[in-house]
Amino acid sequence: VRALVAHEPRVYITHINTPRQVVIGGDPAACQRILAAMRSPSIQAPFDYALHCAAMESEKGALVELHNMPLENAPATRLYTAASYQPMQFEPLAEMQGVVAEQVARMLCSPLDFPRLVRQVYADGARVFIEVGAGGNCARWISESLKGEAHLALSVNRRGTDDYHTLVRLLAKLHSHRVPMDLSPLYQPLELAERA
């Protein structure tokens, strides 16, 4: 795909979802030429806006301004960014507001390499991945990116299943893989249950 895109100045690789799935965007006719040359299955995205490509560079300043919000607290959880494919640093917090906005803008102006991000998180020790978005695409992409490696990728929200059953199944899978969890918030104390 990179070789074909190199010959089309108005087409960009915007996302690398898995080692075998990419997203291209740009001039529709040029995109069609690339798809015809590849002769592989494709689907058209249900949107036509440009993100994650060099065409966004002209709006980078506006993106920085849009995302330049006060930071209240440094998160307790390690957060990774596709701007550098490394954990974000939040210390000293007072100086990080503009840095975070710059990283968000940089990420939106360059291709998103999801397998690279997943492999970095995995290399840093993560083995359990929980997708909180809808549909389970990211969990599937994680499994494809880490094929052959010991890991667990689950989705909280599955199409066609209500949230309650999805959450219970997710907790059961985590428990079966011996992931430490505190399930006490799921249970009412006995005296409250008897009064109800």
Side-chain angles (χ1 to χ4, degrees), residues 144-157:
E144 289 181 34
S145 298
L146 295 176
K147 190 173 183 175
E149 302 289 346
H151 73 283
L152 178 64
L154 303 171
S155 177
V156 171
N157 189 325

Side-chain angles (χ1 to χ4, degrees), residues 69-92:
M69 297 176 239
L71 299 175
E72 303 274 327
N73 300 304
T77 304
R78 184 184 313 168
L79 301 176
Y80 285 76
T81 173
S84 64
Y85 298 93
Q86 295 294 319
M88 293 182 68
Q89 302 300 317
F90 289 95
E91 297 298 330

Side-chain angles (χ1 to χ4, degrees), residues 89-176:
Q89 302 300 317
F90 289 95
E91 297 298 330
L93 190 62
E95 298 173 17
M96 293 310 297
Q97 176 179 327
V99 173
V100 171
E102 174 66 33
Q103 287 191 3
V104 170
R106 186 176 351 142
M107 181 209 33
L108 291 171
C109 294
S110 57
L112 175 60
D113 187 341
F114 192 70
R116 178 180 172 191
L117 185 62
V118 168
R119 285 191 297 270
Q120 181 60 56
V121 173
Y122 187 86
D124 289 349
R127 297 297 181 265
V128 177
F129 298 82
I130 301 174
E131 176 186 358
V132 294
N137 281 334
C138 290
R140 181 177 52 80
W141 296 343
I142 289 166
S143 288
E144 289 181 34
S145 298
L146 295 176
K147 190 173 183 175
E149 302 289 346
H151 73 283
L152 178 64
L154 303 171
S155 177
V156 171
N157 189 325
R158 302 292 302 177
R159 280 190 202 114
T161 307
D162 65 85
D163 290 340
Y164 173 79
H165 286 96
T166 301
L167 185 58
V168 169
R169 287 179 185 153
L170 178 120
L171 292 172
K173 286 179 183 177
L174 291 171
H175 180 72
S176 72

